[in-house]
Amino acid sequence: MTWAGEVLVVDVLDEDAGLADVEDTRGRTFQLPAEWLPEVRDGAAYRVSVTGRGVDFTPDPDGARLLRERSKQTLLDFSDAPDGREGA
């Protein structure tokens, strides 16, 4: 699994369990320890970078908007028609 360059957005923060449910730019969901994510809150977004010291999660103020836009485009590209043509 490669996360470098990914954007993660917190979907749900469970403060009692200390876990954050996050979604990445590929639509995958994960649970991460909330303490790994600076300024963690529902809807917060983070850029992931891998360094020699480990993995860094940097707050990204535009990350949630970018992920929403990507999700909208995916829905627009989706088609129920088996050959991709509408009304065939």
Side-chain angles (χ1 to χ4, degrees):
M1 170 173 19
T2 302
W3 279 3
E6 290 285 341
V7 172
L8 301 177
V9 176
V10 177
D11 287 330
V12 177
L13 175 60
D14 184 344
E15 293 180 23
D16 293 333
L19 295 171
D21 293 343
V22 299
E23 180 179 351
D24 71 4
T25 51
R26 298 180 206 182
R28 301 175 297 183
T29 57
F30 305 93
Q31 279 192 326
L32 297 174
E35 65 187 22
W36 290 3
L37 306 170
E39 304 169 23
V40 66
R41 68 190 185 312
D42 288 340
Y46 301 88
R47 286 263 171 208
V48 179
S49 57
V50 180
T51 67
R53 297 182 346 238
V55 179
D56 290 324
F57 299 95
T58 307
D60 183 346
D62 293 325
R65 181 186 56 77
L66 294 172
L67 191 63
R68 281 193 307 273
E69 289 299 318
R70 183 187 172 285
S71 295
K72 286 180 195 174
Q73 187 60 47
T74 300
L75 288 173
L76 290 173
D77 291 343
F78 180 77
S79 171
D80 287 332
D83 60 2
R85 293 183 296 165
E86 292 292 325

